[in-house]
Amino acid sequence: MHDLNALTVRSISVSEMSNKVYVLTSKSSGAQVLIDAADDAPAIFTLLADAQKDTKALVRLALIVTTHSHWDHVRALGEVRELTRVPTAAGLDDVADIAVPTDIPLHHGDVRNVDGIELEVIHLRGHTPGSIALLYRDSHGPAHLFTGDSLFPGGLGNTNGDADRFSSLYNDVVTRIFDYLPDDTLVYPGHGAGTTLGAERSKLSQWKQRGW
């Protein structure tokens, strides 16, 4: 768990693919944003309930955001939405590929304020057409960036050997993330361990040269 000034970040790994599910909980309002209802709805509901320890307010899920449309990131989305009836959000260009209806299509540069949790949308084209990252700026520490499957420790997301898709994702990651945010930014990927932009910045030319 990351215990920030205004909110907490909790996460679990689910499924045989070790998908990461993140929940942000506002300490002041109890509002929660769930990022990627990937699988195992009971485990997700436990994650949401555990965050009650982080605030004196009554926790309540307020928004579910899907970082991209791939099947392994949405397997529990329908069940979680059905049981909570909260709005869903995803990148505009992935909405058609997500079976569960998307209530809020997201665009690059959008800023969503969910009862004290302010998230900036960064569109990263390449892994899927509508892949997004979510940026939370902590006024008392480094920024926190939830990158889905677009940026990992050691490289970019899979573009299936498509040179055009790789070029698009690389350019977006460089200009919209590395040129935009400082080295101490914490990166929360869609699978596995996190990293920082500083730990990855020196590898950018290597990634471009190898093409993946």
Side-chain angles (χ1 to χ4, degrees):
M1 184 186 77
H2 291 265
D3 188 3
L4 311 183
N5 186 64
L7 58 76
T8 61
V9 180
R10 289 179 176 264
S11 67
I12 54 171
S13 294
V14 297
S15 85
E16 72 282 3
M17 299 184 70
S18 295
N19 291 81
K20 297 304 287 283
V21 179
Y22 299 99
V23 60
L24 284 59
T25 302
S26 168
K27 292 181 178 180
S28 61
S29 71
Q32 296 177 304
V33 174
L34 179 67
I35 300 174
D36 283 347
D39 198 15
D40 196 346
I44 291 174
F45 284 117
T46 298
L47 177 68
L48 293 166
D50 284 347
Q52 185 62 71
K53 304 168 187 174
D54 306 338
T55 174
K56 295 180 180 179
L58 182 65
V59 295
R60 54 182 179 80
L61 182 61
L63 181 67
I64 308 168
V65 183
T66 300
T67 60
H68 63 290
S69 60
H70 283 166
W71 66 275
D72 59 310
H73 288 260
V74 297
R75 282 183 281 186
L77 179 59
E79 184 174 356
V80 174
R81 183 178 189 269
E82 181 179 1
L83 292 174
T84 62
R85 300 296 180 182
V86 304
T88 60
L92 173 65
D93 293 333
D94 271 11
V95 166
D97 295 323
I98 300 173
V100 178
T102 298
D103 301 302
I104 305 170
L106 300 173
H107 305 77
H108 179 67
D110 284 352
V111 177
R112 306 294 307 186
N113 193 312
V114 183
D115 290 339
I117 303 174
E118 188 170 276
L119 297 171
E120 179 181 342
V121 177
I122 300 176
H123 187 190
L124 301 170
R125 299 157 290 189
H127 182 64
T128 65
S131 288
I132 58 169
L134 297 169
L135 175 64
Y136 173 74
R137 295 183 183 272
D138 182 6
S139 59
H140 296 268
H144 299 256
L145 184 67
F146 301 85
T147 57
D149 283 3
S150 291
L151 175 63
F152 295 96
L156 305 182
N158 185 14
T159 51
N160 298 107
D162 185 314
D164 290 338
R165 285 174 58 194
F166 173 79
S167 178
S168 175
L169 181 55
Y170 180 84
N171 289 335
D172 277 357
V173 166
V174 170
T175 60
R176 296 182 174 186
I177 292 180
F178 283 93
D179 289 350
Y180 182 52
L181 297 168
D183 282 351
D184 63 354
T185 301
L186 298 172
V187 175
Y188 301 77
H191 304 261
T195 185
T196 65
L197 292 187
E200 307 303 322
R201 192 179 297 274
S202 65
K203 306 170 188 174
L204 286 171
S205 60
Q206 175 190 342
W207 300 349
K208 184 177 183 179
Q209 183 175 16
R210 75 188 185 191
W212 56 273

